[in-house]
Amino acid sequence: MKKYLPHTDESMEINAADIKSFRNNGHILIPGVMERDEVEFFRNAIVKAVSIYNTEKRKMEERDTYGKAFLQIMNLWRVDETVKEFVFSKRLAGIAAQLLGVEKVRLYHDQALFKEPGGGPTPWHQDQYYWPIDTSNTVTMWMPLIDINQEMGIMAFASGSHTKGSVLEYEISDKSEMEFDHYIKDKGYAVRSASAMHAGDTTWHYGFTIHNAPGNKSPVIREVMTIIYIADGAKVVTPKNVYQENDRRSWLQSAPVGAVIDSSLNPILG
Ligand SMILES: O=C(O)CCC(=O)C(=O)O
């Protein structure tokens, strides 16, 4: 029997209104980016890879707030050929390039984010607090691999919050939840979230968009796969904190400050 392979290289055109909305709000939901059978094909590989490569073995009550929020397994594209096909999808990279308004995007890294039953909320944060990159033209694609609802932990975004760049220097923690919450209320940003998402729907947010997600109150694992894209031509900046230094070593192959990001871990994807 012929092996089923999804056509993930077929492009998907994003209309001008959606691109404008993404750039104004800092986030957008794009439904139906993958068909149900495509997602199912990749889900099998991602779930298997997560079960092999997850190193979090502590009980929920023994973990800190970050640890309770999700199982986080990075760069699965390097260990599984089917996951690689998902992460290297030209359709996904093409959407990232259209949203960022660039010819080409590079991979920063992928990550599976599985929120377990009873898993805690993901506190408010800005992703780019962790990244030693000289551009704010970065975007994360977030795709549930099964149908999900609010009970399971759908992302919420502070609309328009990306425009100020780095506003508070907090890692993901109870403190970041509290401080960003005050900040969002103080600035009057509207907080937007989908009530439900189907497998294969996606959200996209800039690296500086403030976002969080509620805990998982359902008995089912919230299986999500994410890919972080950066505009081609971005450079490494001096790390501002230990996390950025770790990221420089882990995801940029220790590229020196000032170098154009082009290591073999950061291929052009579309
Ligand atoms: O999946 C979550 O709960 C949070 C994800 C997130 O913060 C991100 O993808 O940037």
Side-chain angles (χ1 to χ4, degrees):
M1 203 169 86
K2 195 163 173 280
K3 190 183 162 209
Y4 169 75
L5 275 180
H7 302 290
T8 55
D9 284 351
E10 280 167 12
S11 62
M12 182 168 179
E13 198 172 327
I14 308 304
N15 67 49
D18 282 349
I19 293 174
K20 192 170 167 205
S21 161
F22 169 74
R23 292 185 192 162
N24 286 341
N25 296 324
H27 62 93
I28 190 163
L29 185 146
I30 303 180
V33 167
M34 283 199 185
E35 304 283 345
R36 212 162 259 284
D37 55 350
E38 288 178 318
V39 184
E40 195 51 32
F41 175 84
F42 290 118
R43 174 179 177 246
N44 290 332
I46 294 166
V47 168
K48 190 166 144 225
V50 165
S51 74
I52 296 171
Y53 294 100
N54 169 44
T55 55
E56 177 58 88
K57 306 290 178 210
R58 292 170 300 172
K59 289 190 191 122
M60 196 60 81
E61 57 271 23
E62 290 166 3
R63 303 184 206 165
D64 65 6
T65 299
Y66 194 140
K68 284 181 178 140
F70 38 61
L71 304 177
Q72 179 179 31
I73 304 102
M74 336 271 272
N75 264 3
L76 286 174
W77 72 272
R78 300 189 71 202
V79 294
D80 185 286
E81 279 304 309
T82 304
V83 180
K84 181 174 178 183
E85 206 178 314
F86 178 93
V87 174
F88 279 49
S89 154
K90 289 207 186 318
R91 185 187 311 161
L92 295 173
I95 296 172
Q98 291 174 73
L99 293 175
L100 296 183
V102 295
E103 280 281 303
K104 294 186 169 85
V105 290
R106 286 186 180 271
L107 175 65
Y108 188 47
H109 62 75
D110 67 50
Q111 50 186 356
L113 295 175
F114 281 26
K115 204 183 265 294
E116 301 149 281
T122 310
W124 286 120
H125 65 280
Q126 290 181 302
D127 296 335
Q128 233 165 300
Y129 168 75
Y130 291 91
W131 306 343
I133 301 176
D134 77 338
T135 179
S136 53
N137 219 9
T138 60
V139 65
T140 298
M141 186 287 309
W142 192 95
M143 181 193 287
L145 305 173
I146 55 170
D147 293 349
I148 61 170
N149 56 33
Q150 271 294 340
E151 224 203 349
M152 297 166 79
I154 294 188
M155 292 249 277
F157 303 97
S159 279
S161 59
H162 61 300
T163 56
K164 302 274 189 295
S166 173
V167 291
L168 296 171
E169 302 277 319
Y170 293 113
E171 71 233 44
I172 296 175
S173 58
D174 295 334
K175 178 99 175 147
S176 75
E177 174 66 17
M178 194 174 74
E179 297 294 339
F180 277 107
D181 198 54
H182 288 152
Y183 176 83
I184 290 163
K185 286 182 178 134
D186 185 50
K187 298 289 174 209
Y189 289 123
V191 173
R192 300 216 170 90
S193 176
S195 53
M197 289 175 75
H198 289 125
D201 290 350
T202 52
T203 61
W204 302 75
H205 64 275
Y206 278 116
F208 279 121
T209 306
I210 303 170
H211 57 283
N212 75 357
N216 185 356
K217 298 190 186 67
S218 84
V220 178
I221 301 177
R222 187 212 67 179
E223 299 166 4
V224 162
M225 187 63 181
T226 71
I227 305 172
I228 302 163
Y229 302 91
I230 50 186
D232 183 31
K235 292 186 180 149
V236 185
V237 290
T238 306
K240 284 203 291 192
N241 53 46
V242 288
Y243 304 105
Q244 291 197 2
E245 175 57 10
N246 283 341
D247 264 36
R248 187 183 72 81
R249 291 182 193 185
S250 304
W251 315 128
L252 301 173
Q253 278 195 328
S254 297
V257 171
V260 170
I261 294 171
D262 63 358
S263 89
S264 60
L265 288 185
N266 315 111
I268 287 178
L269 295 183

Short mmCIF file of all heavy atoms in Angstrom, two decimals, residues 164-225:
data_model
loop_
_atom_site.label_atom_id
_atom_site.label_comp_id
_atom_site.label_asym_id
_atom_site.label_seq_id
_atom_site.Cartn_x
_atom_site.Cartn_y
_atom_site.Cartn_z
N LYS A 164 5.30 47.66 21.73
CA LYS A 164 6.23 48.35 22.65
C LYS A 164 7.53 47.58 22.84
O LYS A 164 8.38 47.97 23.63
CB LYS A 164 5.58 48.54 24.03
CG LYS A 164 4.28 49.31 24.00
CD LYS A 164 4.54 50.81 24.07
CE LYS A 164 3.29 51.62 24.28
NZ LYS A 164 2.34 51.55 23.15
N GLY A 165 7.68 46.43 22.18
CA GLY A 165 8.89 45.61 22.37
C GLY A 165 8.91 45.01 23.77
O GLY A 165 7.86 44.70 24.34
N SER A 166 10.11 44.92 24.33
CA SER A 166 10.24 44.33 25.67
C SER A 166 9.73 45.34 26.71
O SER A 166 10.27 46.43 26.82
CB SER A 166 11.70 44.00 25.93
OG SER A 166 11.86 43.58 27.25
N VAL A 167 8.71 44.96 27.47
CA VAL A 167 8.15 45.92 28.43
C VAL A 167 8.45 45.56 29.88
O VAL A 167 8.58 46.43 30.73
CB VAL A 167 6.62 46.11 28.25
CG1 VAL A 167 6.32 46.83 26.95
CG2 VAL A 167 5.85 44.80 28.33
N LEU A 168 8.55 44.27 30.18
CA LEU A 168 8.87 43.83 31.54
C LEU A 168 9.83 42.66 31.44
O LEU A 168 9.63 41.78 30.60
CB LEU A 168 7.60 43.39 32.30
CG LEU A 168 6.52 44.44 32.57
CD1 LEU A 168 5.27 43.76 33.11
CD2 LEU A 168 7.02 45.48 33.55
N GLU A 169 10.82 42.66 32.30
CA GLU A 169 11.86 41.62 32.20
C GLU A 169 11.58 40.51 33.20
O GLU A 169 12.23 40.43 34.24
CB GLU A 169 13.23 42.24 32.44
CG GLU A 169 13.59 43.37 31.50
CD GLU A 169 14.14 42.87 30.17
OE1 GLU A 169 14.93 41.92 30.16
OE2 GLU A 169 13.76 43.44 29.13
N TYR A 170 10.60 39.66 32.89
CA TYR A 170 10.29 38.55 33.79
C TYR A 170 10.26 37.24 33.04
O TYR A 170 9.67 37.14 31.97
CB TYR A 170 8.92 38.74 34.46
CG TYR A 170 8.88 39.91 35.40
CD1 TYR A 170 8.12 41.03 35.11
CD2 TYR A 170 9.62 39.87 36.59
CE1 TYR A 170 8.09 42.11 35.98
CE2 TYR A 170 9.59 40.96 37.45
CZ TYR A 170 8.83 42.07 37.14
OH TYR A 170 8.80 43.13 38.00
N GLU A 171 10.86 36.21 33.65
CA GLU A 171 10.72 34.87 33.09
C GLU A 171 9.31 34.35 33.43
O GLU A 171 8.64 34.93 34.30
CB GLU A 171 11.78 33.94 33.68
CG GLU A 171 11.56 33.61 35.12
CD GLU A 171 12.77 33.89 35.99
OE1 GLU A 171 13.38 34.97 35.83
OE2 GLU A 171 13.06 33.04 36.84
N ILE A 172 8.91 33.29 32.79
CA ILE A 172 7.57 32.70 33.02
C ILE A 172 7.49 32.23 34.48
O ILE A 172 8.24 31.35 34.90
CB ILE A 172 7.34 31.52 32.06
CG1 ILE A 172 7.32 32.01 30.62
CG2 ILE A 172 6.06 30.79 32.42
CD1 ILE A 172 7.22 30.92 29.57
N SER A 173 6.58 32.83 35.24
CA SER A 173 6.51 32.56 36.69
C SER A 173 5.25 33.21 37.26
O SER A 173 4.54 33.95 36.56
CB SER A 173 7.73 33.20 37.37
OG SER A 173 7.72 34.60 37.10
N ASP A 174 5.00 32.97 38.54
CA ASP A 174 3.85 33.64 39.19
C ASP A 174 4.04 35.15 39.13
O ASP A 174 3.08 35.91 38.98
CB ASP A 174 3.74 33.19 40.65
CG ASP A 174 3.42 31.70 40.75
OD1 ASP A 174 2.82 31.16 39.80
OD2 ASP A 174 3.80 31.07 41.76
N LYS A 175 5.30 35.57 39.24
CA LYS A 175 5.59 37.01 39.21
C LYS A 175 5.24 37.60 37.83
O LYS A 175 4.66 38.68 37.74
CB LYS A 175 7.09 37.19 39.52
CG LYS A 175 7.59 38.59 39.48
CD LYS A 175 7.67 39.18 40.87
CE LYS A 175 8.29 40.56 40.83
NZ LYS A 175 7.74 41.44 41.84
N SER A 176 5.61 36.87 36.76
CA SER A 176 5.30 37.41 35.42
C SER A 176 3.79 37.50 35.23
O SER A 176 3.27 38.45 34.66
CB SER A 176 5.95 36.57 34.30
OG SER A 176 5.30 35.34 34.09
N GLU A 177 3.07 36.49 35.73
CA GLU A 177 1.59 36.51 35.62
C GLU A 177 1.05 37.78 36.29
O GLU A 177 0.24 38.51 35.71
CB GLU A 177 1.01 35.25 36.27
CG GLU A 177 -0.51 35.21 36.36
CD GLU A 177 -1.22 35.12 35.02
OE1 GLU A 177 -0.58 34.77 34.01
OE2 GLU A 177 -2.43 35.45 34.98
N MET A 178 1.54 38.05 37.48
CA MET A 178 1.01 39.17 38.26
C MET A 178 1.40 40.52 37.63
O MET A 178 0.55 41.39 37.42
CB MET A 178 1.57 39.08 39.67
CG MET A 178 0.87 39.95 40.68
SD MET A 178 1.54 39.62 42.31
CE MET A 178 3.13 40.41 42.20
N GLU A 179 2.69 40.65 37.29
CA GLU A 179 3.16 41.94 36.79
C GLU A 179 2.59 42.27 35.40
O GLU A 179 2.20 43.40 35.13
CB GLU A 179 4.70 41.97 36.75
CG GLU A 179 5.36 41.83 38.11
CD GLU A 179 5.08 43.00 39.04
OE1 GLU A 179 4.73 44.09 38.56
OE2 GLU A 179 5.19 42.82 40.27
N PHE A 180 2.56 41.27 34.51
CA PHE A 180 1.99 41.53 33.18
C PHE A 180 0.48 41.78 33.29
O PHE A 180 -0.08 42.57 32.53
CB PHE A 180 2.26 40.36 32.22
CG PHE A 180 3.62 40.40 31.57
CD1 PHE A 180 4.63 39.54 31.95
CD2 PHE A 180 3.90 41.32 30.56
CE1 PHE A 180 5.88 39.57 31.36
CE2 PHE A 180 5.16 41.38 29.95
CZ PHE A 180 6.15 40.49 30.36
N ASP A 181 -0.17 41.11 34.23
CA ASP A 181 -1.61 41.33 34.42
C ASP A 181 -1.87 42.80 34.77
O ASP A 181 -2.74 43.46 34.19
CB ASP A 181 -2.12 40.40 35.53
CG ASP A 181 -3.63 40.27 35.47
OD1 ASP A 181 -4.13 39.92 34.39
OD2 ASP A 181 -4.29 40.54 36.49
N HIS A 182 -1.08 43.33 35.71
CA HIS A 182 -1.21 44.76 36.07
C HIS A 182 -0.95 45.62 34.84
O HIS A 182 -1.68 46.57 34.57
CB HIS A 182 -0.17 45.14 37.16
CG HIS A 182 -0.51 44.58 38.49
ND1 HIS A 182 0.43 44.29 39.44
CD2 HIS A 182 -1.70 44.23 39.04
CE1 HIS A 182 -0.15 43.78 40.51
NE2 HIS A 182 -1.45 43.73 40.28
N TYR A 183 0.12 45.27 34.12
CA TYR A 183 0.53 46.07 32.95
C TYR A 183 -0.60 46.11 31.90
O TYR A 183 -0.94 47.17 31.37
CB TYR A 183 1.81 45.46 32.36
CG TYR A 183 2.27 46.14 31.09
CD1 TYR A 183 3.03 47.31 31.13
CD2 TYR A 183 1.93 45.61 29.84
CE1 TYR A 183 3.43 47.93 29.96
CE2 TYR A 183 2.33 46.23 28.67
CZ TYR A 183 3.08 47.39 28.73
OH TYR A 183 3.48 48.01 27.58
N ILE A 184 -1.18 44.92 31.63
CA ILE A 184 -2.23 44.83 30.60
C ILE A 184 -3.44 45.67 31.00
O ILE A 184 -4.01 46.41 30.19
CB ILE A 184 -2.64 43.35 30.40
CG1 ILE A 184 -1.50 42.58 29.73
CG2 ILE A 184 -3.92 43.21 29.58
CD1 ILE A 184 -1.62 41.07 29.85
N LYS A 185 -3.80 45.58 32.28
CA LYS A 185 -4.96 46.34 32.77
C LYS A 185 -4.65 47.83 32.74
O LYS A 185 -5.48 48.65 32.31
CB LYS A 185 -5.34 45.89 34.18
CG LYS A 185 -6.01 44.52 34.13
CD LYS A 185 -6.45 44.03 35.48
CE LYS A 185 -7.14 42.68 35.31
NZ LYS A 185 -6.72 41.68 36.25
N ASP A 186 -3.45 48.17 33.16
CA ASP A 186 -3.03 49.57 33.21
C ASP A 186 -3.07 50.20 31.81
O ASP A 186 -3.53 51.32 31.62
CB ASP A 186 -1.62 49.62 33.79
CG ASP A 186 -1.15 51.03 34.00
OD1 ASP A 186 -1.93 51.79 34.60
OD2 ASP A 186 -0.04 51.38 33.53
N LYS A 187 -2.61 49.44 30.81
CA LYS A 187 -2.56 49.97 29.44
C LYS A 187 -3.90 49.82 28.71
O LYS A 187 -4.08 50.34 27.61
CB LYS A 187 -1.48 49.24 28.61
CG LYS A 187 -0.07 49.40 29.14
CD LYS A 187 0.44 50.83 28.91
CE LYS A 187 1.78 51.03 29.57
NZ LYS A 187 2.07 52.35 30.00
N GLY A 188 -4.79 49.02 29.29
CA GLY A 188 -6.12 48.84 28.69
C GLY A 188 -6.13 47.95 27.45
O GLY A 188 -7.01 48.08 26.59
N TYR A 189 -5.17 47.03 27.36
CA TYR A 189 -5.18 46.12 26.20
C TYR A 189 -6.36 45.15 26.30
O TYR A 189 -6.62 44.59 27.38
CB TYR A 189 -3.89 45.28 26.15
CG TYR A 189 -2.65 46.05 25.78
CD1 TYR A 189 -1.55 46.06 26.63
CD2 TYR A 189 -2.58 46.76 24.59
CE1 TYR A 189 -0.40 46.78 26.29
CE2 TYR A 189 -1.44 47.48 24.25
CZ TYR A 189 -0.36 47.48 25.11
OH TYR A 189 0.77 48.19 24.78
N ALA A 190 -7.03 44.91 25.18
CA ALA A 190 -8.08 43.89 25.15
C ALA A 190 -7.41 42.53 25.13
O ALA A 190 -6.41 42.33 24.44
CB ALA A 190 -8.93 44.07 23.89
N VAL A 191 -7.96 41.60 25.90
CA VAL A 191 -7.42 40.23 25.92
C VAL A 191 -8.34 39.35 25.08
O VAL A 191 -9.54 39.31 25.30
CB VAL A 191 -7.34 39.70 27.37
CG1 VAL A 191 -6.94 38.23 27.39
CG2 VAL A 191 -6.34 40.53 28.18
N ARG A 192 -7.75 38.70 24.07
CA ARG A 192 -8.56 37.92 23.13
C ARG A 192 -8.12 36.46 23.11
O ARG A 192 -6.93 36.16 23.16
CB ARG A 192 -8.44 38.50 21.73
CG ARG A 192 -8.89 39.95 21.64
CD ARG A 192 -9.58 40.24 20.30
NE ARG A 192 -10.21 41.54 20.34
CZ ARG A 192 -9.63 42.68 19.98
NH1 ARG A 192 -8.38 42.68 19.56
NH2 ARG A 192 -10.28 43.83 20.05
N SER A 193 -9.11 35.60 22.99
CA SER A 193 -8.84 34.16 23.00
C SER A 193 -9.96 33.45 22.25
O SER A 193 -11.11 33.88 22.32
CB SER A 193 -8.82 33.70 24.46
OG SER A 193 -8.67 32.33 24.55
N ALA A 194 -9.64 32.38 21.52
CA ALA A 194 -10.69 31.60 20.85
C ALA A 194 -11.40 30.75 21.90
O ALA A 194 -10.80 30.35 22.89
CB ALA A 194 -10.05 30.70 19.79
N SER A 195 -12.70 30.48 21.67
CA SER A 195 -13.41 29.64 22.65
C SER A 195 -13.13 28.17 22.39
O SER A 195 -13.21 27.34 23.30
CB SER A 195 -14.90 29.93 22.62
OG SER A 195 -15.36 29.80 21.30
N ALA A 196 -12.79 27.83 21.14
CA ALA A 196 -12.46 26.44 20.80
C ALA A 196 -11.59 26.46 19.55
O ALA A 196 -11.63 27.41 18.77
CB ALA A 196 -13.74 25.64 20.54
N MET A 197 -10.80 25.42 19.38
CA MET A 197 -10.01 25.28 18.14
C MET A 197 -10.07 23.82 17.69
O MET A 197 -10.07 22.91 18.52
CB MET A 197 -8.54 25.68 18.38
CG MET A 197 -8.33 27.17 18.59
SD MET A 197 -6.60 27.58 19.03
CE MET A 197 -5.76 27.40 17.47
N HIS A 198 -10.13 23.64 16.39
CA HIS A 198 -10.07 22.29 15.85
C HIS A 198 -8.61 21.89 15.62
O HIS A 198 -7.75 22.76 15.43
CB HIS A 198 -10.82 22.21 14.52
CG HIS A 198 -12.29 22.30 14.67
ND1 HIS A 198 -13.06 23.24 14.01
CD2 HIS A 198 -13.16 21.58 15.43
CE1 HIS A 198 -14.32 23.10 14.35
NE2 HIS A 198 -14.42 22.10 15.21
N ALA A 199 -8.37 20.60 15.59
CA ALA A 199 -7.04 20.10 15.20
C ALA A 199 -6.72 20.69 13.82
O ALA A 199 -7.57 20.65 12.92
CB ALA A 199 -7.07 18.58 15.12
N GLY A 200 -5.53 21.27 13.67
CA GLY A 200 -5.15 21.85 12.38
C GLY A 200 -5.42 23.33 12.26
O GLY A 200 -4.94 23.99 11.33
N ASP A 201 -6.22 23.91 13.20
CA ASP A 201 -6.32 25.37 13.28
C ASP A 201 -5.01 25.88 13.89
O ASP A 201 -4.29 25.13 14.57
CB ASP A 201 -7.47 25.79 14.21
CG ASP A 201 -8.86 25.49 13.63
OD1 ASP A 201 -8.95 25.13 12.44
OD2 ASP A 201 -9.85 25.60 14.39
N THR A 202 -4.74 27.15 13.69
CA THR A 202 -3.47 27.69 14.21
C THR A 202 -3.67 29.09 14.80
O THR A 202 -4.54 29.84 14.34
CB THR A 202 -2.43 27.85 13.07
OG1 THR A 202 -3.03 28.59 12.00
CG2 THR A 202 -1.96 26.51 12.55
N THR A 203 -2.86 29.42 15.79
CA THR A 203 -2.71 30.83 16.15
C THR A 203 -1.26 31.20 15.85
O THR A 203 -0.36 30.34 15.84
CB THR A 203 -3.02 31.14 17.63
OG1 THR A 203 -2.12 30.43 18.47
CG2 THR A 203 -4.45 30.82 17.99
N TRP A 204 -1.06 32.49 15.59
CA TRP A 204 0.26 33.04 15.27
C TRP A 204 0.45 34.29 16.11
O TRP A 204 -0.46 35.12 16.19
CB TRP A 204 0.33 33.41 13.77
CG TRP A 204 0.04 32.24 12.86
CD1 TRP A 204 -1.18 31.68 12.61
CD2 TRP A 204 0.99 31.48 12.10
NE1 TRP A 204 -1.05 30.62 11.74
CE2 TRP A 204 0.27 30.48 11.40
CE3 TRP A 204 2.37 31.55 11.93
CZ2 TRP A 204 0.89 29.56 10.55
CZ3 TRP A 204 3.00 30.65 11.08
CH2 TRP A 204 2.26 29.66 10.41
N HIS A 205 1.60 34.42 16.76
CA HIS A 205 1.84 35.64 17.54
C HIS A 205 3.29 36.07 17.41
O HIS A 205 4.20 35.24 17.29
CB HIS A 205 1.44 35.46 19.01
CG HIS A 205 2.25 34.43 19.77
ND1 HIS A 205 1.95 33.08 19.77
CD2 HIS A 205 3.35 34.56 20.56
CE1 HIS A 205 2.82 32.44 20.53
NE2 HIS A 205 3.70 33.30 21.01
N TYR A 206 3.49 37.38 17.47
CA TYR A 206 4.84 37.94 17.46
C TYR A 206 5.56 37.57 18.77
O TYR A 206 4.91 37.37 19.81
CB TYR A 206 4.79 39.47 17.39
CG TYR A 206 4.58 40.09 16.03
CD1 TYR A 206 3.43 40.83 15.75
CD2 TYR A 206 5.55 39.99 15.03
CE1 TYR A 206 3.25 41.44 14.51
CE2 TYR A 206 5.38 40.59 13.79
CZ TYR A 206 4.23 41.31 13.54
OH TYR A 206 4.05 41.92 12.32
N GLY A 207 6.90 37.61 18.70
CA GLY A 207 7.71 37.28 19.87
C GLY A 207 7.49 38.23 21.05
O GLY A 207 7.80 37.87 22.19
N PHE A 208 7.00 39.45 20.79
CA PHE A 208 6.78 40.38 21.90
C PHE A 208 5.31 40.50 22.31
O PHE A 208 4.98 41.26 23.22
CB PHE A 208 7.33 41.77 21.55
CG PHE A 208 8.83 41.87 21.76
CD1 PHE A 208 9.68 42.19 20.71
CD2 PHE A 208 9.39 41.63 23.01
CE1 PHE A 208 11.06 42.28 20.91
CE2 PHE A 208 10.77 41.72 23.22
CZ PHE A 208 11.61 42.03 22.17
N THR A 209 4.42 39.76 21.66
CA THR A 209 3.00 39.82 22.06
C THR A 209 2.85 39.14 23.43
O THR A 209 3.29 38.00 23.61
CB THR A 209 2.12 39.08 21.03
OG1 THR A 209 2.38 39.63 19.74
CG2 THR A 209 0.64 39.21 21.37
N ILE A 210 2.24 39.84 24.37
CA ILE A 210 2.05 39.26 25.70
C ILE A 210 0.92 38.22 25.62
O ILE A 210 -0.14 38.51 25.06
CB ILE A 210 1.70 40.37 26.72
CG1 ILE A 210 2.81 41.44 26.74
CG2 ILE A 210 1.50 39.78 28.11
CD1 ILE A 210 2.43 42.70 27.54
N HIS A 211 1.18 37.02 26.15
CA HIS A 211 0.16 35.96 26.06
C HIS A 211 0.24 35.03 27.26
O HIS A 211 1.27 34.95 27.93
CB HIS A 211 0.33 35.17 24.75
CG HIS A 211 1.69 34.57 24.57
ND1 HIS A 211 2.79 35.30 24.19
CD2 HIS A 211 2.14 33.30 24.74
CE1 HIS A 211 3.85 34.52 24.12
NE2 HIS A 211 3.49 33.29 24.46
N ASN A 212 -0.86 34.32 27.49
CA ASN A 212 -0.89 33.29 28.53
C ASN A 212 -1.91 32.22 28.13
O ASN A 212 -2.46 32.27 27.02
CB ASN A 212 -1.20 33.89 29.92
CG ASN A 212 -2.65 34.30 30.12
OD1 ASN A 212 -3.47 34.20 29.19
ND2 ASN A 212 -2.97 34.76 31.30
N ALA A 213 -2.14 31.26 28.98
CA ALA A 213 -3.14 30.22 28.72
C ALA A 213 -3.61 29.67 30.06
O ALA A 213 -2.80 29.54 30.99
CB ALA A 213 -2.55 29.09 27.86
N PRO A 214 -4.91 29.33 30.15
CA PRO A 214 -5.38 28.75 31.41
C PRO A 214 -4.88 27.31 31.59
O PRO A 214 -4.36 26.70 30.65
CB PRO A 214 -6.91 28.77 31.26
CG PRO A 214 -7.20 29.07 29.85
CD PRO A 214 -5.95 29.51 29.16
N GLY A 215 -5.07 26.78 32.80
CA GLY A 215 -4.69 25.39 33.07
C GLY A 215 -5.63 24.42 32.35
O GLY A 215 -6.65 24.81 31.79
N ASN A 216 -5.26 23.15 32.39
CA ASN A 216 -6.06 22.11 31.74
C ASN A 216 -6.95 21.42 32.77
O ASN A 216 -6.49 20.61 33.57
CB ASN A 216 -5.13 21.09 31.06
CG ASN A 216 -5.91 20.06 30.26
OD1 ASN A 216 -7.14 20.05 30.26
ND2 ASN A 216 -5.19 19.19 29.57
N LYS A 217 -8.25 21.75 32.72
CA LYS A 217 -9.19 21.18 33.70
C LYS A 217 -9.85 19.92 33.17
O LYS A 217 -10.69 19.31 33.82
CB LYS A 217 -10.25 22.21 34.05
CG LYS A 217 -9.67 23.46 34.69
CD LYS A 217 -10.76 24.36 35.24
CE LYS A 217 -10.18 25.67 35.73
NZ LYS A 217 -9.63 26.50 34.62
N SER A 218 -9.49 19.52 31.95
CA SER A 218 -10.12 18.34 31.33
C SER A 218 -9.30 17.09 31.66
O SER A 218 -8.17 17.18 32.12
CB SER A 218 -10.18 18.53 29.81
OG SER A 218 -8.95 18.16 29.23
N PRO A 219 -9.87 15.92 31.36
CA PRO A 219 -9.09 14.68 31.61
C PRO A 219 -8.18 14.30 30.44
O PRO A 219 -7.59 13.23 30.42
CB PRO A 219 -10.20 13.63 31.80
CG PRO A 219 -11.39 14.17 31.07
CD PRO A 219 -11.26 15.66 30.98
N VAL A 220 -8.08 15.20 29.43
CA VAL A 220 -7.36 14.88 28.19
C VAL A 220 -6.11 15.76 28.06
O VAL A 220 -6.15 16.94 28.42
CB VAL A 220 -8.30 15.15 26.98
CG1 VAL A 220 -7.61 14.88 25.66
CG2 VAL A 220 -9.57 14.34 27.11
N ILE A 221 -5.02 15.20 27.53
CA ILE A 221 -3.81 16.02 27.33
C ILE A 221 -4.05 17.02 26.20
O ILE A 221 -4.53 16.64 25.13
CB ILE A 221 -2.60 15.14 26.96
CG1 ILE A 221 -2.31 14.12 28.05
CG2 ILE A 221 -1.36 16.01 26.70
CD1 ILE A 221 -1.17 13.17 27.73
N ARG A 222 -3.74 18.29 26.45
CA ARG A 222 -3.81 19.30 25.37
C ARG A 222 -2.53 19.18 24.55
O ARG A 222 -1.49 19.67 24.92
CB ARG A 222 -3.94 20.70 25.99
CG ARG A 222 -4.18 21.81 24.97
CD ARG A 222 -3.54 23.12 25.39
NE ARG A 222 -2.10 23.06 25.39
CZ ARG A 222 -1.30 24.08 25.69
NH1 ARG A 222 -1.81 25.24 26.04
NH2 ARG A 222 0.02 23.95 25.66
N GLU A 223 -2.66 18.53 23.39
CA GLU A 223 -1.48 18.30 22.55
C GLU A 223 -1.33 19.45 21.56
O GLU A 223 -2.19 19.67 20.71
CB GLU A 223 -1.64 17.00 21.77
CG GLU A 223 -1.77 15.78 22.65
CD GLU A 223 -2.27 14.56 21.90
OE1 GLU A 223 -2.44 14.64 20.65
OE2 GLU A 223 -2.51 13.53 22.55
N VAL A 224 -0.23 20.17 21.70
CA VAL A 224 0.01 21.32 20.80
C VAL A 224 1.43 21.23 20.25
O VAL A 224 2.36 20.86 20.97
CB VAL A 224 -0.19 22.65 21.58
CG1 VAL A 224 0.48 23.81 20.87
CG2 VAL A 224 -1.67 22.93 21.78
N MET A 225 1.57 21.58 18.98
CA MET A 225 2.91 21.67 18.38
C MET A 225 3.13 23.12 17.95
O MET A 225 2.22 23.76 17.41
CB MET A 225 2.99 20.73 17.17
CG MET A 225 4.37 20.62 16.57
SD MET A 225 5.56 19.89 17.75
CE MET A 225 7.03 19.95 16.74
#
